[in-house]
Amino acid sequence: MRTQVGIIGAGPAGLLLSHLLHLRGIESVVLELRSREHVERRVRAGVLEQGTVDTLVASGVGDRLLREGLVHQGIELRYGGAGHRIAFDRLVPGRSVTVYGQQEVVKDLIAARLAVGGDVRFEVRDVALHGLDTASPSITFEGGRLDCDVIAGCDGFHGVSRPSVPAGALTEFSRDYPFAWLGVLAQVKPSASELIYARTERGFALHSMRSPEISRFYLQVPAGEPLESWPDERVWAELKTRLETVPGFTLATGEILEKSVTPMRSFVVEPMRYGRLFLAGDAAHIVPPTGAKGMNLAVSDVRVLTEALAAFFGEGETGLLDGYSDACLRRVWRAQHFSWWMTTLLHTFESDDAYGTRLQTSHLDYVTSSEAAATTLAENYVGM
Ligand code: RFL
Ligand code: PHB
């Protein structure tokens, strides 16, 4: 088999790249390890920046997103017995975020690819990359081989693309956190109209949502926490303890539909390219989810890569491809800093003494009382 761009991974990055390339008349084949059902059911991100929404809508995959997505004009920071609204509508007028599940974006993109006969293959095992430093790289997999001009590594943090690059060619930057997030999807009407980011002495909690009937919650738990330690009753009790901290707020409970534990990590690889291999999304960088940036960065990488590939296949122009990594890394590092900052602002760190806790409170007081500090949070949250 032969194609122009071999794409590894059918997450938001790989699928959107395939879709945008198709709109530019560039052929691709997407090779995904897991089944279609698996990728469409994988519950993950939920907050889309305006730029992400604009990209999806402009490329024709935003109809359901515009119908079902929930536009949010602010978030609440809850700590010390009070809630404080960060009002995007006032601080960064005209900019907002949209709450719409990542797996819904993935469903919409798969449907769009298949509707025009796009080649997206699921359950493809043993993917291996070859000839990355030549002009004709290839991908082999169980039962096949794909020759291409360019390979896009969109296979997430645990994929094969990044490890296929020879040792020493890439530099890694990373930070691990001593905690994880227990994520919960529940059949219950959200107890608030906006997201609540809560800092308590027992750890961080987040109240998010997916629809008027479905709520999404996260609890800070120790790193490596087994899911078995969190039966449903314990989840609800802990969410109530961490969220019912302001007068008049009661958390509605319901059936828990899904539960998982996610480690928290910051990671960047530089450059995001080796020869004819271009890394995009989580394959190149991950952030702790506190800033809601991961999927938005994946979309932004893919936007940059599409322009570069269009210039390459259209005019034989390599300048944009050569500038791909630097163009992405500027935004990536801004999101790295913001995500680390939100994480340190809101989580409890075992290493923190009373001094550290006081500093964190002072930091929160500053962000919730200074217009300048609140604007910094708001403009980063809605997307730079
Ligand atoms: P993905 O989604 O991980 O997709 C990679 C795909 O590659 C496949 N794959 C392979 N295919 C073939 N061969 C192999 N050897 C392969 N190895 C892997 C995988 O099966 C998968 O289908 O990466 P992509 O496309 O770069 O997308 C990135 C996003 O998924 C990620 O950044 C976000 O989910 C992060 N994130 C959030 N981002 C936001 O923008 N806003 C949020 O509110 C937000 N919340 C979150 C999050 C991530 C979370 N978790 C679970 C990590 C909340 C959580 C809890
Ligand atoms: C989510 O709804 O999944 C979500 C919301 C905000 C975050 C992270 C995840 O910061």
Side-chain angles (χ1 to χ4, degrees):
M1 280 197 302
R2 202 194 140 73
T3 192
Q4 288 175 291
V5 184
I7 300 176
I8 306 172
L15 290 166
L16 181 63
L17 180 63
S18 177
H19 172 64
L20 295 180
L21 289 177
H22 165 72
L23 298 179
R24 299 297 191 91
I26 299 167
E27 273 178 27
S28 66
V29 175
V30 180
L31 304 173
E32 164 62 45
L33 174 65
R34 315 301 295 253
S35 68
R36 179 175 177 186
E37 293 67 39
H38 180 93
V39 300
E40 290 189 345
R41 280 206 204 116
R42 200 161 42 191
V43 183
R44 282 193 172 174
V47 176
L48 311 187
E49 293 175 356
Q50 190 62 51
T52 299
V53 172
D54 293 346
T55 299
L56 295 170
V57 171
S59 67
V61 286
D63 291 356
R64 198 160 67 91
L65 159 63
L66 289 178
R67 264 198 325 274
E68 299 176 15
L70 310 166
V71 176
H72 282 214
Q73 305 282 0
I75 56 169
E76 180 183 324
L77 298 184
R78 186 173 288 190
Y79 68 99
H84 307 263
R85 183 162 189 260
I86 304 293
F88 307 150
D89 37 1
R90 191 170 50 78
L91 298 164
V92 282
R95 293 159 73 188
S96 55
V97 295
T98 299
V99 177
Y100 187 70
Q102 175 170 322
Q103 80 271 30
E104 306 306 324
V105 174
V106 164
K107 281 182 208 162
D108 297 344
L109 285 167
I110 290 175
R113 289 309 294 126
L114 298 183
V116 293
D119 196 346
V120 183
R121 302 180 186 204
F122 296 95
E123 300 181 72
V124 178
R125 269 167 258 289
D126 301 331
V127 163
L129 290 67
H130 313 275
L132 299 177
D133 52 358
T134 71
S136 49
S138 64
I139 304 171
T140 55
F141 48 93
E142 194 182 84
R145 171 189 164 113
L146 179 63
D147 294 317
C148 10
D149 297 307
V150 167
I151 298 177
C154 301
D155 47 353
F157 184 67
H158 299 287
V160 290
S161 300
R162 198 181 61 251
S164 304
V165 175
L170 305 178
T171 307
E172 297 183 355
F173 303 84
S174 71
R175 182 157 295 184
D176 288 330
Y177 301 87
F179 41 76
W181 273 19
L182 171 71
V184 174
L185 193 71
Q187 182 79 45
V188 59
K189 181 177 154 39
S191 300
S193 58
E194 294 181 338
L195 272 59
I196 304 168
Y197 287 80
R199 182 268 230 167
T200 77
E201 295 80 55
R202 297 174 66 88
F204 169 77
L206 172 59
H207 179 321
S208 181
M209 62 201 69
R210 285 293 178 272
S211 73
E213 296 83 34
I214 306 272
S215 300
R216 177 83 169 139
F217 302 99
Y218 297 98
L219 284 169
Q220 176 186 353
V221 297
E225 185 84 331
L227 203 50
E228 302 78 64
S229 308
W230 288 90
D232 294 0
E233 313 74 64
R234 184 176 177 209
V235 170
W236 287 121
E238 194 61 30
L239 282 169
K240 278 178 165 284
T241 310
R242 296 191 198 179
L243 288 165
E244 291 181 346
T245 57
V246 299
F249 179 85
T250 313
L251 185 71
T253 63
E255 186 196 347
I256 291 186
L257 306 170
E258 197 260 3
K259 253 189 314 207
S260 59
V261 176
T262 307
M264 301 273 272
R265 198 181 282 124
S266 297
F267 174 88
V268 183
V269 76
E270 292 186 6
M272 290 168 55
R273 170 199 193 164
Y274 175 76
R276 287 288 179 101
L277 169 68
F278 293 83
L279 300 171
D282 278 18
H285 42 72
I286 51 176
V287 285
T290 329
K293 288 286 166 246
M295 176 168 48
N296 294 297
L297 283 180
V299 168
S300 159
D301 289 350
V302 163
R303 249 184 341 234
V304 177
L305 187 53
T306 300
E307 292 308 320
L309 289 171
F312 176 66
F313 287 110
E315 295 97 49
E317 176 56 61
T318 57
L320 290 180
L321 277 181
D322 292 340
Y324 167 73
S325 179
D326 285 349
C328 293
L329 285 168
R330 266 179 71 81
R331 174 183 285 266
V332 166
W333 277 109
R334 176 87 304 278
Q336 287 288 331
H337 178 264
F338 177 65
S339 304
W340 164 85
W341 181 81
M342 283 284 278
T343 303
T344 51
L345 182 68
L346 291 161
H347 290 72
T348 43
F349 288 76
E350 254 170 35
S351 56
D352 261 6
D353 50 9
Y355 180 84
T357 308
R358 288 287 194 286
L359 279 186
Q360 196 182 39
T361 304
S362 167
H363 193 175
L364 279 161
D365 286 345
Y366 178 53
V367 167
T368 54
S369 62
S370 151
E371 193 88 351
T375 304
T376 294
L377 194 162
E379 71 171 351
N380 278 278
Y381 195 93
V382 301
M384 299 293 286

